[in-house]
Amino acid sequence: MIQYLDNIHHKDSKNFFLIAGPCIIEGEDMALRIAEKVISITDKYNIPYIFKGSFKKANRSRVDSFTTIGEEKSLEILKKVGETFNIPTTTDIHENEHAALAAQYVDVLQIPAFLVRQTDLLVAAAKTGKCVTLKKGQFLSPEAMKFAVQKVTDSSNQKVAIIERGNSFGYTDLIVDYRGIPTMREYAPVILDVTHSLQQPNQSSGVTGGRPDLIETVAKAGIAVGADGIFIETHPTPETALSDGANMLRLDLLEDLLQKLTRIRESIL
């Protein structure tokens, strides 16, 4: 997928690529600070980098959960991040109309896991001509993602990748089946969403839990089995994050993790 992004750095490094940023755009200053910090690390280790931030969260457990600081405001911040640092940006979309809207501001459109079977949404994203990432539904087999990819490619867009984010394991947990990564790589490049794979959804409080203590374990395994990219939500203080703080990586821990993952990548090439 990254070969289609003109503004991505280290494209020819043979390293994995990284999608990282806060779960949701909380403000311009924070977005710029996170992007600047991640760029300083990815430049050091020659890691192609795409900044991620949701402009709006539609999949919330409770009606009083935080959703956005403003759709247009968030999209403008994403655009500013991209222009300030000359890097690609991505956000998730939830409605057909969001595809054309977000495509004016970002380089990659992400389809959420719960919506990956929504044909009209995938076609709308594909028709923008932007790169499209498809999160594998927690309820889908790796083999089923072949058909999601085909919806994009049949819409005359070859710029597609799959994001693995774990499988439902009981009612309140997820587990990654690493056998699915080589399977899905037959259809498109595969990105392992480390932090969402460690969510603990459907908690009785209505707030999703997580296991950030296992981020390094899951990420190492993903690189070892050949994931093309890694997806990590990160925040300076996850405990104060407005969304998904329970499974985020603290920003000051990112460099140590990426250094280890780079060594694993080098060992398997």
Side-chain angles (χ1 to χ4, degrees):
M1 182 189 75
I2 63 171
Q3 70 267 28
Y4 298 110
L5 298 170
D6 294 334
N7 55 344
I8 198 163
H9 305 171
H10 314 296
K11 187 184 297 187
D12 299 323
S13 69
K14 297 184 179 181
N15 209 345
F16 61 89
F17 62 92
L18 175 70
I19 299 176
C23 177
I24 194 167
I25 296 298
E26 299 181 4
E28 181 178 305
D29 181 64
M30 178 176 286
L32 291 169
R33 285 191 290 115
I34 292 174
E36 184 175 33
K37 177 62 175 178
V38 179
I39 289 167
S40 71
I41 301 168
T42 53
D43 281 349
K44 184 175 181 179
Y45 297 104
N46 295 317
I47 300 171
Y49 173 49
I50 301 168
F51 177 86
K52 181 268 172 185
S54 295
F55 80 99
K56 180 179 182 179
K57 301 301 290 186
N59 175 28
R60 303 286 83 189
S61 297
R62 302 188 326 204
V63 72
D64 61 346
S65 296
F66 181 79
T67 58
T68 183
I69 61 171
E71 294 182 18
E72 186 173 350
K73 182 178 181 180
S74 296
L75 289 168
E76 289 287 356
I77 290 171
L78 282 162
K79 183 178 180 180
K80 184 167 184 177
V81 169
E83 291 178 345
T84 299
F85 300 107
N86 187 31
I87 58 171
T89 58
T90 184
T91 194
D92 43 334
I93 60 173
H94 308 88
E95 302 173 15
N96 299 350
E97 294 75 15
H98 285 169
L101 171 64
Q104 300 175 60
Y105 298 89
V106 302
D107 304 276
V108 182
L109 300 178
Q110 175 187 297
I111 305 298
F114 286 126
L115 299 176
V116 76
R117 283 175 56 90
Q118 298 298 106
T119 301
D120 288 349
L121 181 61
L122 270 63
V123 171
K127 288 185 174 179
T128 66
K130 296 288 184 175
C131 293
V132 179
T133 53
L134 306 170
K135 284 208 173 185
K136 184 180 75 64
Q138 301 92 319
F139 46 87
L140 291 177
S141 70
E143 291 79 6
M145 288 304 294
K146 174 181 180 180
F147 305 106
V149 170
Q150 284 180 340
K151 290 178 182 180
V152 176
T153 58
D154 286 349
S155 301
S156 301
N157 188 335
Q158 304 299 314
K159 308 172 188 177
V160 60
I162 300 169
I163 300 179
E164 166 63 52
R165 52 96 73 243
N167 306 290
S168 294
F169 189 67
Y171 290 119
T172 60
D173 207 357
L174 298 170
I175 191 167
V176 177
D177 182 354
Y178 292 94
R179 298 173 301 176
I181 291 178
T183 296
M184 292 187 293
R185 289 186 79 227
E186 296 178 11
Y187 318 136
V190 175
I191 303 151
L192 176 59
D193 182 345
V194 178
T195 46
H196 285 104
S197 293
L198 291 167
Q199 281 185 333
Q200 293 180 318
N202 303 318
Q203 300 296 311
S204 59
S205 64
V207 178
T208 297
R211 290 290 307 274
D213 55 302
L214 292 175
I215 287 173
E216 182 174 320
T217 300
V218 171
K220 284 178 174 177
I223 294 298
V225 299
D228 299 283
I230 293 289
F231 181 116
I232 295 174
E233 287 189 340
T234 184
H235 193 283
T237 54
E239 64 274 12
T240 67
L242 298 179
S243 178
D244 276 2
N247 52 268
M248 278 194 198
L249 180 68
R250 207 172 71 228
L251 185 59
D252 63 0
L253 300 177
L254 182 62
E255 180 169 2
D256 181 66
L257 175 61
L258 293 181
Q259 182 184 38
K260 291 174 180 176
L261 297 183
T262 296
R263 289 175 179 169
I264 295 172
R265 177 74 170 193
E266 290 171 350
S267 73
I268 65 173
L269 288 177

